[in-house]
């Protein structure tokens, strides 16, 4: 796409948003791989985390579609808030897996996650079929819940740094 005869320039914030969306889609694709190929059934908290990763990707792609720096920063801020919710959900799952007596409540939580229309339309992606206390073999020393927590923390930190740096840059006046 061209603007004023030249190629469209993507700001660093827009590139970060595009990369963020791609990473989040990749994380959900990885979760599907572990579900379908490795037989790791997702629990209700896993499904909530999938929704959050997809919501971050959606916000990131929509935000990157705007050329306005203000819209890019707004999208980054919303993505940061969603990532912080993800940190809380993933931390709860790590806690539940570390304390098997605690449960995410397969009965109540699963009824809620499975009642969302997307769970009916795409059950492979959005229906909970496992228990939160189920622990699978670690990958490079960490369980899936710990990897998810790490991903949300890294996303939150990266977006916060990008948002802060974009906020600190001097704005060009429209009269220059």
């Amino acid at each position: 796409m061209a603007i004023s005869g030249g190629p469209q320039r993507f700001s660093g914030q827009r590139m970060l948003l595009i990369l963020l969306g791609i990473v989040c889609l990749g994380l959900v694709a990885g979760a599907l791989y572990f579900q379908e190929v490795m037989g790791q059934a997702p629990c209700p908290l896993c499904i909530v985390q999938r929704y959050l990763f997809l919501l971050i990707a959606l916000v990131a792609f929509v935000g990157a579609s705007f050329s306005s720096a203000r819209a890019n920063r707004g999208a980054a801020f919303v993505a940061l808030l969603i990532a912080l919710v993800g940190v809380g959900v993933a931390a709860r799952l790590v806690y539940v897996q570390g304390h098997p007596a605690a449960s995410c409540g397969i009965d109540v939580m699963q009824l809620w996650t499975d009642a969302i229309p997307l769970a009916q339309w795409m059950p492979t992606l959005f229906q909970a079929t496992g228990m939160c206390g189920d622990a699978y073999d670690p990958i490079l020393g960490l369980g899936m819940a710990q990897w998810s927590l790490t991903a949300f923390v890294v996303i939150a930190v990266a977006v916060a740094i990008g948002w802060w740096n974009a906020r600190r840059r001097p704005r060009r006046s429209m009269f220059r």
Side-chain angles (χ1 to χ4, degrees), residues 98-114:
H99 300 85
S103 173
C104 67
I106 191 75
D107 49 359
V108 176
M109 189 79 164
Q110 183 177 6
L111 291 175
W112 179 79
T113 58
D114 288 351

Side-chain angles (χ1 to χ4, degrees), residues 109-172:
M109 189 79 164
Q110 183 177 6
L111 291 175
W112 179 79
T113 58
D114 288 351
I116 297 172
L118 284 174
Q120 305 304 312
W121 298 331
M122 293 181 272
T124 301
L125 185 59
F126 294 116
Q127 277 193 349
T129 56
M131 300 288 289
C132 292
D134 294 344
Y136 296 101
D137 292 335
I139 303 158
L140 299 175
L142 296 178
M144 286 297 284
Q146 294 161 325
W147 279 114
S148 185
L149 176 59
T150 301
F152 278 118
V153 168
V154 168
I155 288 168
V157 168
V159 171
I161 290 170
W163 179 78
W164 183 256
N165 285 339
R167 210 175 140 257
R168 288 186 22 215
R169 287 191 195 108
R171 295 184 183 110
R172 286 192 263 162

